[in-house]
Amino acid sequence: MWIYEKKLQYPVKVSTCNPMLAKYLIEQYGGADGELSAALRYLNQRYAIPDKVIGLLTDIGTEEFAHLEMIATMVYKLTKDAKPEQMEEAGLGDFYVNHDNALYYNNASGVPWTASYIQAKGDPIADLYEDIAAEEKARATYQWIIDMSDDPDLNDGLKFLREREVVHSQRFREAVEMLKEERDRQKIF
Amino acid sequence: MWIYEKKLQYPVKVSTCNPMLAKYLIEQYGGADGELSAALRYLNQRYAIPDKVIGLLTDIGTEEFAHLEMIATMVYKLTKDAKPEQMEEAGLGDFYVNHDNALYYNNASGVPWTASYIQAKGDPIADLYEDIAAEEKARATYQWIIDMSDDPDLNDGLKFLREREVVHSQRFREAVEMLKEERDRQKIF
Amino acid sequence: MWIYEKKLQYPVKVSTCNPMLAKYLIEQYGGADGELSAALRYLNQRYAIPDKVIGLLTDIGTEEFAHLEMIATMVYKLTKDAKPEQMEEAGLGDFYVNHDNALYYNNASGVPWTASYIQAKGDPIADLYEDIAAEEKARATYQWIIDMSDDPDLNDGLKFLREREVVHSQRFREAVEMLKEERDRQKIF
Amino acid sequence: MWIYEKKLQYPVKVSTCNPMLAKYLIEQYGGADGELSAALRYLNQRYAIPDKVIGLLTDIGTEEFAHLEMIATMVYKLTKDAKPEQMEEAGLGDFYVNHDNALYYNNASGVPWTASYIQAKGDPIADLYEDIAAEEKARATYQWIIDMSDDPDLNDGLKFLREREVVHSQRFREAVEMLKEERDRQKIF
Amino acid sequence: MWIYEKKLQYPVKVSTCNPMLAKYLIEQYGGADGELSAALRYLNQRYAIPDKVIGLLTDIGTEEFAHLEMIATMVYKLTKDAKPEQMEEAGLGDFYVNHDNALYYNNASGVPWTASYIQAKGDPIADLYEDIAAEEKARATYQWIIDMSDDPDLNDGLKFLREREVVHSQRFREAVEMLKEERDRQKIF
Amino acid sequence: MWIYEKKLQYPVKVSTCNPMLAKYLIEQYGGADGELSAALRYLNQRYAIPDKVIGLLTDIGTEEFAHLEMIATMVYKLTKDAKPEQMEEAGLGDFYVNHDNALYYNNASGVPWTASYIQAKGDPIADLYEDIAAEEKARATYQWIIDMSDDPDLNDGLKFLREREVVHSQRFREAVEMLKEERDRQKIF
């Protein structure tokens, strides 16, 4: 089970109300390679994976929920003072008529999140490569959003998150190598 | 952010390996009215809701993740020792070829979870009725699963979870009445 | 069965060709909380609900089809004279290449309608709370669209529809209280 | 708008409680080529089609709703007395835990209905061929269900519905030929 | 099996970097009536269709893959030199944060391709009408895109593709008439 | 463009009519990690990837279409002589009423294929890890199907396909290492 602690993993600031940037950033909230995908993927894989990898999946999965909360806070701060006209100008008129200034788990194009984005195969090697790929794709997504952003405060948070994906990718690579070595020691087939 | 504590909210036991029951139970893992829907719905609504309801949504949303973990543990215990033939006999052959004995966020029919199941409107009254409806639907789902189950150990856990939904429904009803009273006091239109 | 009567439930007028407004309004045609969701939800729930609520569901479900026709007429009037360039300027270029100036059951972001938006649990209390939530969410959606619109003729129709949702919500609340009272009289558990 | 008349287009009888048959029949309720697809497709196409075809689409679209109601009644009669164990034996255990003995717009495999099944192009020839194809596919679906059924009472209703699809297909073929002739008379390109 | 030949079926040119046009054109890449739908539909229908139609389906299905490659090349040429700001101005900022300047199988609104767009009924008449409808819908889509385009080089390629759909439609009509004649000769029912 | 050659990449045999096995095997036709996903993923990534990897993606993508054709042939051979009752007994009654004995791009649970299963990020490292993960997941899926199968003729074909995935995975790993080395040589950041 999880205990909620009322603080963010890393402080979140935005320079100004900027719904256009929120529109892009929501890709990491409810998009294919966003934080929701990450958290749900890792926590779900914990059950059919060798014991020695469970802790890693729990740690990273839990951290991804903290990232999801950071993204939610960023999106909210970028839009909370936006009037309907500003939402409209930012291309968020379609979002506004459905959700007002609330949040929702969809990608930047408005497509709702689906579990089809993630996988669990019960094969540890396959699952860990899925996880490495996920981290690399999340890293790329942060890069494309940073390319679009000229908000230095927001970018500080986004760069922190991008770096965490690089670290996670490295840890999953170590785990897959460890399991492959072990497999090679144990069986000859 | 959340801190993981390595224990379940309520102890989970199953009497025997029973993949058929797992097939039904997964409805509460990745189905329309399951625990994933509940947790993600409430935590997402926290941003555009009056301050006095945020704590309630955080508390219940966090608890629903604990429920999700209980369901995951139940499903895993019911299937972890099942051989492919047993999965097949239980109507889980389709699940097995995709996921082996791992878990996945789909409903009992194998349909992947989608955010289309949940909503956030930025209107507190609408959002809280969405939440009441969610709890009532989750309660009904637990009932239909209990109808299908003859595992007394599992049913003990399911009854605990069903009762929690009743409590949550009551708390959301209190919240909506509080907001309606406040609204009626404040404006005349 | 239904008999078609060639008139609208309430007269529909629009002040001017305005495809941008059509883009938002289509949320109530093929969106999560739109009239299609409403009509299909209520008519589908009629079979496993106590007899005394069937008439209510039939009446409101049938009326929602009349509302769906009103929305269709509004969307059509707002776009029928729009040239491709006007569609493009209104952010409907993506819609145009797929559907020209025809209608389609998608939301304002272009996501096709899915039955995942609606539910039927076979539990009358749960189903009626689903319906109350639906009406409250539809009311909010009309409000957000009215916020975006400066067409007084269109707004007249939208306000009529918004008021109908308020009435329906009230009737579903009365129905759920009636069923709860009856349940409490009948069983002690 | 539509007026509800409390009778079915054609009398519906079933010989016995038979949830397995209900499982197959639901394909015509919420499946790709079922009555919901038909009704929604035709009524939606009415706005961007030449005036002389609107009446045909309204008539057939309205009749398809009557067919949808017949299918709903059939499914309900086949399952209303089924106990959970009978639902389970018929392969409807997954449906039961989600919906009890209620109805839902999904296909025989449990996939929720999506508007992606239908289309409107704003090109009358294309739209009418879409409609002919729809009727031919519905006809085939009725045939495959009749192949599965040994309930003579049910089959009587299904054969009526299959014949109506043949008639509709013929009427759409006449409409497309009429429009093609007219087009050929009017323009040379 | 297929052999790749490193050339396009018809030469593809674009006059200038034009991401807005790419946004529309992607409808024929990953949209409901695009080339992916066409290729996958025909090749999939080959197995349960009378022998004399298999060759036609293989030929046209294989050609549609060549068309898909032409569309991919067009979209890539229209966007490969576009900077993030240009993608944003063209309404492709949402696409960019997910895919950078890569391609993806979604429609112009960003909705991922789904097999729900296509069908195979095992009934040759129904399947061939599905195919005729598909070609007519594809023809209409090319027309709506040409309406939006002022790039003469691109339009040359699009007109070639539109004409191929007309030819395919004609060939499927001949096939369905042939099968109907044969059916009428063989059985009297 | 592609040229069709009327032969399979590897001969396909099945020992006996076995629709149950077809039900599982269809996972590799229209499932998340099946051959359709593979072919479409690689061919789509060719445009925004460094030139030296394009050939590899074209080769493997084209081969995956040959695999898709092998799977189609296997599924067809396993079901073509199955009567409706046999389809029903194999748990394919739901498939039969929708598609008769035709094929369709869905997974073993009947969920239609969606492009949400695949990704293209425009970042070569991320894309190649996506591809490695895809091959590992496909390998696992073949393993789970072989676990379910006691048809030695079919298994011969499945083992051939499983081995090809291992080879492809290796080639993608070499490609990603090559690109990483090159990147490390070129920039210091």
Side-chain angles (χ1 to χ4, degrees):
Chain A
M1 61 181 292
W2 287 264
I3 312 297
Y4 185 70
E5 191 174 357
K6 202 176 167 175
K7 68 168 193 183
L8 296 173
Q9 189 193 355
Y10 185 89
V12 157
K13 276 194 279 189
V14 308
S15 306
T16 180
C17 174
N18 188 341
M20 177 67 95
L21 209 40
K23 180 181 165 67
Y24 300 144
L25 190 51
I26 211 167
E27 185 69 34
Q28 289 294 57
Y29 190 62
D33 306 311
E35 300 292 354
L36 182 63
S37 292
L40 295 180
R41 177 190 283 112
Y42 305 141
L43 295 175
N44 176 65
Q45 286 177 357
R46 292 183 299 161
Y47 298 89
I49 206 110
D51 284 0
K52 62 180 58 167
V53 190
I54 294 177
L56 179 64
L57 288 170
T58 303
D59 286 355
I60 299 185
T62 300
E63 183 180 348
E64 305 289 18
F65 271 128
H67 295 175
L68 188 68
E69 196 186 27
M70 285 175 63
I71 299 286
T73 307
M74 287 169 174
V75 171
Y76 181 61
K77 286 190 173 186
L78 289 165
T79 57
K80 75 184 164 63
D81 298 324
K83 296 207 163 34
E85 305 81 61
Q86 289 170 282
M87 297 292 273
E88 183 166 27
E89 279 160 30
L92 278 169
D94 54 352
F95 188 91
Y96 178 83
V97 295
N98 195 3
H99 307 296
D100 182 77
N101 291 44
L103 295 180
Y104 191 67
Y105 302 106
N106 57 216
N107 71 5
S109 301
V111 178
W113 192 86
T114 162
S116 301
Y117 294 142
I118 69 175
Q119 186 53 297
K121 297 302 291 188
D123 176 290
I125 306 293
D127 283 355
L128 284 167
Y129 271 112
E130 159 95 354
D131 301 343
I132 296 168
E135 296 292 343
E136 295 296 326
K137 291 186 284 181
R139 171 188 55 73
T141 311
Y142 277 119
Q143 189 60 56
W144 312 147
I145 296 172
I146 291 168
D147 288 357
M148 287 299 206
S149 164
D150 57 358
D151 180 329
D153 289 320
L154 183 75
N155 285 357
D156 177 63
L158 295 179
K159 284 172 186 167
F160 168 81
L161 291 166
R162 187 188 58 186
E163 288 317 297
R164 294 305 298 158
E165 312 296 13
V166 174
V167 171
H168 294 167
S169 178
Q170 186 54 38
R171 294 195 66 192
F172 285 129
R173 284 183 226 201
E174 291 160 9
V176 82
E177 293 308 322
M178 180 188 70
L179 290 185
K180 282 198 280 189
E181 270 176 43
E182 200 163 272
R183 180 195 61 188
D184 295 346
R185 269 204 307 277
Q186 284 173 353
K187 52 182 163 177
I188 306 185
F189 90 111
Chain B
M1 61 180 292
W2 287 265
I3 313 296
Y4 185 69
E5 191 174 357
K6 201 176 169 175
K7 69 169 191 180
L8 295 174
Q9 189 194 354
Y10 185 89
V12 157
K13 276 195 279 192
V14 309
S15 306
T16 180
C17 174
N18 188 339
M20 177 67 94
L21 209 40
K23 181 181 164 66
Y24 300 144
L25 191 52
I26 212 166
E27 185 71 34
Q28 290 294 59
Y29 190 62
D33 306 311
E35 301 293 355
L36 181 62
S37 292
L40 295 179
R41 178 189 282 111
Y42 305 142
L43 295 176
N44 176 64
Q45 286 178 357
R46 292 183 299 163
Y47 297 89
I49 205 109
D51 284 1
K52 62 181 58 167
V53 190
I54 294 176
L56 179 65
L57 288 170
T58 303
D59 286 355
I60 299 185
T62 300
E63 184 181 348
E64 305 290 18
F65 271 127
H67 295 176
L68 188 68
E69 196 186 27
M70 285 175 63
I71 300 285
T73 307
M74 288 169 174
V75 170
Y76 180 61
K77 287 190 173 186
L78 288 166
T79 57
K80 75 184 163 63
D81 299 324
K83 295 205 162 34
E85 305 82 63
Q86 289 170 280
M87 296 293 273
E88 182 166 27
E89 279 160 30
L92 279 169
D94 55 352
F95 188 92
Y96 177 83
V97 296
N98 195 1
H99 307 295
D100 182 76
N101 291 44
L103 295 179
Y104 191 67
Y105 302 106
N106 59 215
N107 72 4
S109 301
V111 178
W113 193 86
T114 162
S116 301
Y117 293 142
I118 69 175
Q119 186 53 297
K121 296 301 291 188
D123 176 291
I125 306 293
D127 283 355
L128 285 167
Y129 271 112
E130 159 95 354
D131 301 343
I132 296 167
E135 295 292 342
E136 295 296 325
K137 292 186 284 181
R139 172 188 55 74
T141 310
Y142 277 120
Q143 189 60 57
W144 311 147
I145 296 172
I146 291 168
D147 288 357
M148 287 298 207
S149 163
D150 57 358
D151 181 329
D153 289 322
L154 183 75
N155 285 356
D156 176 63
L158 295 179
K159 284 172 186 167
F160 167 80
L161 291 166
R162 187 187 58 187
E163 289 317 296
R164 294 305 299 158
E165 312 296 13
V166 174
V167 170
H168 295 166
S169 178
Q170 186 54 39
R171 294 194 67 190
F172 285 129
R173 284 182 226 202
E174 291 160 10
V176 81
E177 293 309 321
M178 180 188 72
L179 291 185
K180 283 197 280 190
E181 269 176 45
E182 198 162 274
R183 179 196 61 188
D184 294 346
R185 267 204 309 276
Q186 283 174 352
K187 53 183 164 178
I188 306 187
F189 90 108
Chain C
M1 61 181 292
W2 287 264
I3 313 296
Y4 185 70
E5 191 174 356
K6 201 175 167 173
K7 68 169 191 181
L8 296 174
Q9 188 193 355
Y10 185 90
V12 157
K13 276 195 279 189
V14 308
S15 307
T16 180
C17 174
N18 188 340
M20 176 67 94
L21 209 40
K23 180 181 165 66
Y24 300 144
L25 191 51
I26 212 166
E27 184 71 34
Q28 289 294 58
Y29 190 62
D33 306 310
E35 301 293 354
L36 181 63
S37 292
L40 295 180
R41 177 189 284 112
Y42 305 142
L43 295 175
N44 176 64
Q45 286 178 356
R46 292 183 299 163
Y47 298 90
I49 205 114
D51 283 2
K52 63 182 56 168
V53 190
I54 294 177
L56 179 66
L57 288 170
T58 303
D59 287 355
I60 299 185
T62 301
E63 184 181 347
E64 306 289 18
F65 270 127
H67 295 176
L68 188 68
E69 196 186 27
M70 285 176 63
I71 299 285
T73 307
M74 287 169 175
V75 170
Y76 181 62
K77 287 191 173 185
L78 289 166
T79 56
K80 75 183 164 64
D81 298 323
K83 295 205 163 35
E85 305 81 61
Q86 290 171 279
M87 296 292 272
E88 182 167 27
E89 279 160 30
L92 278 169
D94 54 352
F95 188 92
Y96 178 83
V97 294
N98 195 2
H99 306 296
D100 183 76
N101 292 45
L103 295 180
Y104 191 66
Y105 303 107
N106 58 215
N107 71 5
S109 302
V111 178
W113 192 86
T114 163
S116 300
Y117 293 142
I118 70 176
Q119 186 53 296
K121 298 300 293 186
D123 176 288
I125 306 293
D127 282 356
L128 284 167
Y129 272 112
E130 159 95 355
D131 301 344
I132 296 167
E135 295 292 342
E136 296 295 327
K137 291 186 284 181
R139 171 188 55 74
T141 310
Y142 277 119
Q143 190 60 56
W144 311 148
I145 296 172
I146 291 168
D147 289 356
M148 287 298 207
S149 164
D150 57 357
D151 180 328
D153 288 321
L154 182 76
N155 285 355
D156 177 63
L158 295 179
K159 284 172 186 168
F160 168 80
L161 291 166
R162 186 187 58 186
E163 289 316 296
R164 293 306 298 156
E165 312 296 15
V166 174
V167 170
H168 295 167
S169 178
Q170 185 56 36
R171 294 195 67 191
F172 285 129
R173 284 182 226 201
E174 291 160 11
V176 81
E177 293 307 323
M178 180 188 69
L179 290 185
K180 283 197 280 190
E181 270 176 42
E182 199 162 90
R183 180 195 60 188
D184 295 346
R185 268 204 307 278
Q186 283 174 353
K187 51 181 166 179
I188 305 185
F189 90 111
Chain D
M1 62 181 292
W2 287 265
I3 313 296
Y4 185 70
E5 191 174 357
K6 201 176 168 174
K7 69 168 191 181
L8 295 173
Q9 188 192 357
Y10 185 89
V12 157
K13 276 196 279 191
V14 309
S15 306
T16 180
C17 174
N18 188 340
M20 176 67 95
L21 210 40
K23 180 182 165 67
Y24 301 144
L25 191 51
I26 212 167
E27 184 71 33
Q28 290 294 57
Y29 191 61
D33 305 311
E35 301 293 353
L36 181 62
S37 292
L40 295 180
R41 176 189 284 111
Y42 306 142
L43 295 176
N44 175 65
Q45 286 177 357
R46 292 184 298 163
Y47 298 89
I49 206 110
D51 283 0
K52 61 181 57 168
V53 191
I54 294 176
L56 179 65
L57 288 171
T58 302
D59 286 355
I60 299 185
T62 300
E63 184 181 349
E64 305 289 19
F65 271 127
H67 295 176
L68 188 67
E69 195 186 27
M70 285 176 63
I71 299 285
T73 307
M74 288 169 173
V75 171
Y76 180 61
K77 287 191 172 185
L78 288 166
T79 56
K80 75 183 163 64
D81 299 323
K83 295 203 163 36
E85 306 81 62
Q86 289 170 281
M87 297 291 274
E88 181 166 29
E89 278 160 30
L92 278 169
D94 54 352
F95 187 92
Y96 178 82
V97 295
N98 195 2
H99 307 296
D100 182 76
N101 291 44
L103 296 179
Y104 191 67
Y105 303 106
N106 58 216
N107 71 5
S109 301
V111 178
W113 193 86
T114 162
S116 301
Y117 294 142
I118 69 175
Q119 186 53 296
K121 297 301 291 187
D123 176 290
I125 306 294
D127 282 355
L128 284 166
Y129 271 112
E130 159 95 354
D131 301 344
I132 295 168
E135 295 292 342
E136 295 297 327
K137 293 185 283 181
R139 171 189 54 74
T141 310
Y142 277 119
Q143 190 58 57
W144 311 148
I145 296 171
I146 290 168
D147 288 357
M148 288 297 206
S149 163
D150 58 357
D151 179 330
D153 289 321
L154 183 75
N155 285 355
D156 177 64
L158 295 179
K159 283 171 185 167
F160 168 81
L161 291 166
R162 187 188 57 187
E163 289 317 297
R164 293 305 299 158
E165 312 295 16
V166 174
V167 171
H168 295 167
S169 179
Q170 186 55 39
R171 295 194 67 192
F172 285 129
R173 284 182 226 202
E174 292 160 10
V176 81
E177 293 309 322
M178 180 188 71
L179 290 185
K180 283 197 280 190
E181 270 176 42
E182 199 163 272
R183 180 196 59 188
D184 295 345
R185 267 204 310 276
Q186 284 175 352
K187 53 181 164 179
I188 304 184
F189 88 109
Chain E
M1 61 181 292
W2 287 264
I3 313 296
Y4 185 70
E5 191 174 356
K6 200 176 167 174
K7 69 168 190 181
L8 295 173
Q9 188 194 357
Y10 185 89
V12 157
K13 275 194 280 192
V14 309
S15 307
T16 180
C17 174
N18 188 341
M20 176 67 95
L21 209 39
K23 180 182 165 67
Y24 300 144
L25 190 51
I26 212 166
E27 185 70 35
Q28 289 295 58
Y29 190 62
D33 306 311
E35 301 292 354
L36 181 63
S37 292
L40 295 180
R41 176 189 284 112
Y42 305 142
L43 295 175
N44 176 64
Q45 287 178 357
R46 292 183 300 163
Y47 298 89
I49 205 110
D51 283 1
K52 60 181 58 168
V53 190
I54 294 176
L56 179 64
L57 288 171
T58 303
D59 287 355
I60 299 185
T62 300
E63 183 181 348
E64 305 289 17
F65 271 127
H67 295 177
L68 188 67
E69 195 185 27
M70 284 175 64
I71 300 285
T73 307
M74 288 169 174
V75 170
Y76 180 62
K77 287 191 173 185
L78 288 166
T79 56
K80 73 182 164 66
D81 299 323
K83 296 206 163 35
E85 306 81 62
Q86 288 171 282
M87 297 292 273
E88 182 166 28
E89 278 161 30
L92 278 169
D94 55 352
F95 188 92
Y96 178 83
V97 294
N98 194 2
H99 307 296
D100 182 77
N101 291 44
L103 295 179
Y104 191 67
Y105 302 106
N106 58 214
N107 71 5
S109 301
V111 178
W113 193 86
T114 162
S116 301
Y117 293 141
I118 69 176
Q119 186 54 296
K121 297 302 291 187
D123 176 289
I125 306 293
D127 283 355
L128 284 166
Y129 272 111
E130 159 95 355
D131 301 344
I132 296 167
E135 296 292 343
E136 295 296 327
K137 292 185 284 181
R139 172 189 54 73
T141 310
Y142 277 119
Q143 190 59 57
W144 311 148
I145 296 171
I146 291 168
D147 289 357
M148 287 298 207
S149 164
D150 57 357
D151 180 329
D153 289 321
L154 183 74
N155 285 356
D156 176 64
L158 295 179
K159 284 172 185 166
F160 168 81
L161 291 166
R162 187 188 57 187
E163 288 316 297
R164 294 305 298 157
E165 312 296 14
V166 174
V167 171
H168 295 168
S169 178
Q170 185 55 37
R171 294 194 67 192
F172 285 129
R173 284 181 226 201
E174 292 160 9
V176 81
E177 293 309 322
M178 181 189 71
L179 291 185
K180 283 197 280 190
E181 271 176 40
E182 200 162 90
R183 180 195 60 186
D184 295 345
R185 269 203 308 276
Q186 284 175 353
K187 53 181 164 178
I188 305 184
F189 89 110
Chain F
M1 61 181 292
W2 287 264
I3 313 297
Y4 185 70
E5 192 174 356
K6 201 177 167 176
K7 68 169 191 181
L8 295 175
Q9 189 193 356
Y10 185 90
V12 157
K13 276 194 279 191
V14 309
S15 306
T16 181
C17 174
N18 188 339
M20 176 67 94
L21 209 40
K23 181 182 165 66
Y24 300 144
L25 190 51
I26 212 166
E27 184 70 34
Q28 290 293 58
Y29 191 61
D33 306 311
E35 301 293 355
L36 181 62
S37 292
L40 295 180
R41 176 190 283 111
Y42 306 142
L43 294 175
N44 176 65
Q45 286 178 356
R46 293 183 298 163
Y47 298 89
I49 206 112
D51 283 1
K52 62 182 57 169
V53 191
I54 294 177
L56 178 65
L57 288 170
T58 303
D59 286 355
I60 299 185
T62 300
E63 184 181 348
E64 305 289 17
F65 270 127
H67 295 176
L68 188 68
E69 196 185 27
M70 286 176 64
I71 299 285
T73 307
M74 289 169 174
V75 170
Y76 180 62
K77 287 191 172 187
L78 289 167
T79 56
K80 75 184 164 62
D81 298 324
K83 295 206 162 33
E85 306 79 63
Q86 289 170 279
M87 297 292 273
E88 182 166 26
E89 279 160 31
L92 278 168
D94 54 351
F95 188 91
Y96 177 83
V97 295
N98 195 2
H99 307 295
D100 183 76
N101 291 45
L103 296 179
Y104 191 67
Y105 303 106
N106 58 215
N107 72 4
S109 301
V111 178
W113 192 85
T114 163
S116 300
Y117 293 143
I118 69 176
Q119 187 53 298
K121 297 302 292 188
D123 175 290
I125 306 293
D127 282 355
L128 284 167
Y129 272 111
E130 159 95 354
D131 301 344
I132 296 168
E135 295 292 343
E136 295 296 325
K137 292 185 284 181
R139 171 189 55 73
T141 310
Y142 276 120
Q143 190 58 57
W144 311 148
I145 296 172
I146 291 168
D147 288 356
M148 287 298 208
S149 164
D150 57 358
D151 180 329
D153 289 321
L154 182 75
N155 285 355
D156 177 63
L158 295 180
K159 284 172 187 167
F160 167 80
L161 291 166
R162 187 188 57 187
E163 288 317 297
R164 294 305 298 158
E165 312 296 14
V166 174
V167 171
H168 295 167
S169 178
Q170 185 56 38
R171 294 195 66 192
F172 285 129
R173 285 181 225 201
E174 291 159 10
V176 81
E177 294 308 322
M178 180 187 71
L179 291 185
K180 283 197 281 190
E181 270 176 43
E182 199 163 272
R183 180 196 59 188
D184 295 345
R185 268 204 308 277
Q186 283 173 353
K187 51 181 165 178
I188 305 183
F189 91 109

